Amino acid sequence: TPLLTLELSPAVLVVAKLRASGLNAAEIAAMLRKSPNTVKVQISKAYEATGSRNSVELMRKLRGKV
């Protein structure tokens, strides 16, 4: 959804999409060569910006189904 993605930085959006696809923070960190703590912070930012409580809600909101 355009409004949700405008609230997320490009880096957070990439992490959010990977989290919504089912990857955990450690897997995302390894894939993107980032610190796991950085990824966890970015996931938290994505949850907050989208009003999501978990990865399923995040996925639905990023796909515009909620």
Side-chain angles (χ1 to χ4, degrees), residues 25 28 34 45:
I28 296 168
K34 293 185 176 192
K45 287 180 180 181

Side-chain angles (χ1 to χ4, degrees), residues 42-66:
Q42 291 176 321
I43 290 169
S44 293
K45 287 180 180 181
Y47 284 171
E48 184 178 343
T50 60
S52 301
R53 291 175 287 175
N54 56 53
S55 61
V56 174
E57 284 186 12
L58 181 63
M59 176 185 67
R60 289 180 180 154
K61 289 181 181 186
L62 289 176
R63 291 185 180 168
K65 295 183 179 178
V66 171

